Amino acid sequence: MSEAHIKKEHSIFQVAINLILACLVSGLIIGIVYFITAPIAIQKSEMLKQQAMKDLVKDAETFKEVPNKVQWFAAEKEGKVIAYVVPSESKGYGGSIKMLVAITTDGKVIDYNILTSNETPGLGDNAAKEPFKSQFKEKQAENLTVVKDPSNKENIQAMTGATISSKAVTKAVKEAVEAVTDFTGGK
């Protein structure tokens, strides 16, 4: 073997060792940062979830997970369940609309928050805003139907130019109301 060949092999070996060391140091740093920040991120996520539920059910003192129901929470005041916060989803014009819906124990809508949606800005995304949202307050499942008649105050008035989004949000809220009503027996 020539001396140049040995130097070439030595330099490739040295580069490989340097890369391995760089990867190990980088991995160690990432691991330490994750170890320190993961509990903080989990705590922050829980605080945001609690705040989101508190925004929906303002009178609630605590929120407890409902056994055997995925992502359902019972809103309690003075140890008594006053409402449920449940996830719901429907397909809108721009794709899936995911939301949290707050419902009284007797099956009336309190409020909802849209978590994710890709509805058209200025049209379908108005489902997350007033005056559309306020139409749902105190309504039960039988009144959660989209209509285009302005004189009909019993049901949900479609947003102009966004009937698909209106129907999708209304469907998701209605399904959540029906699920809570089935769970509580309407009491």
Side-chain angles (χ1 to χ4, degrees):
M1 278 193 175
S2 72
E3 198 172 309
H5 190 256
I6 292 172
K7 283 184 179 178
K8 188 176 182 182
E9 282 184 12
H10 185 269
S11 69
I12 291 173
F13 180 72
Q14 190 63 40
V15 168
I17 292 296
N18 289 343
L19 282 172
I20 290 170
L21 287 173
C23 289
L24 286 174
V25 169
S26 298
L28 184 62
I29 291 170
I30 290 170
I32 290 169
V33 169
Y34 179 78
F35 181 75
I36 293 169
T37 60
I40 296 167
I42 290 169
Q43 184 181 18
K44 183 73 172 170
S45 174
E46 184 60 31
M47 285 172 42
L48 289 172
K49 182 169 47 172
Q50 291 290 324
Q51 186 57 49
M53 290 188 291
K54 183 73 175 158
D55 289 345
L56 288 173
V57 187
K58 292 172 181 28
D59 294 341
E61 296 165 348
T62 60
F63 295 90
K64 295 184 179 171
E65 288 189 38
V66 176
N68 303 319
K69 293 287 185 180
V70 179
Q71 294 294 311
W72 277 45
F73 291 88
E76 295 183 351
K77 182 177 182 178
E78 298 173 0
K80 183 181 175 201
V81 176
I82 59 170
Y84 291 94
V85 178
V86 300
S88 194
E89 184 175 347
S90 185
K91 186 174 181 337
Y93 182 77
S96 181
I97 299 173
K98 294 181 182 183
M99 52 199 315
L100 278 180
V101 185
I103 302 147
T104 63
T105 56
D106 62 343
K108 292 180 183 172
V109 178
I110 297 172
D111 202 357
Y112 67 85
N113 277 340
I114 295 178
L115 303 173
T116 60
S117 92
N118 291 317
E119 299 307 283
T120 308
L123 293 172
D125 71 340
N126 287 331
K129 303 172 186 168
E130 298 299 340
F132 186 74
K133 275 183 81 169
S134 61
Q135 296 183 80
F136 290 83
K137 290 185 186 343
E138 298 290 314
K139 291 222 179 5
Q140 293 182 302
E142 60 268 11
N143 298 109
L144 294 172
T145 303
V146 175
V147 296
K148 292 184 178 183
D149 176 7
S151 66
N152 182 339
K153 303 294 182 202
E154 296 297 313
N155 297 104
I156 305 299
Q157 197 59 228
M159 293 179 288
T160 304
T163 305
I164 294 171
S165 300
S166 301
K167 287 181 178 180
V169 169
T170 303
K171 178 179 183 274
V173 171
K174 184 174 185 173
E175 287 174 358
V177 169
E178 289 171 341
V180 168
T181 303
D182 287 348
F183 180 73
T184 63
K187 299 174 191 168

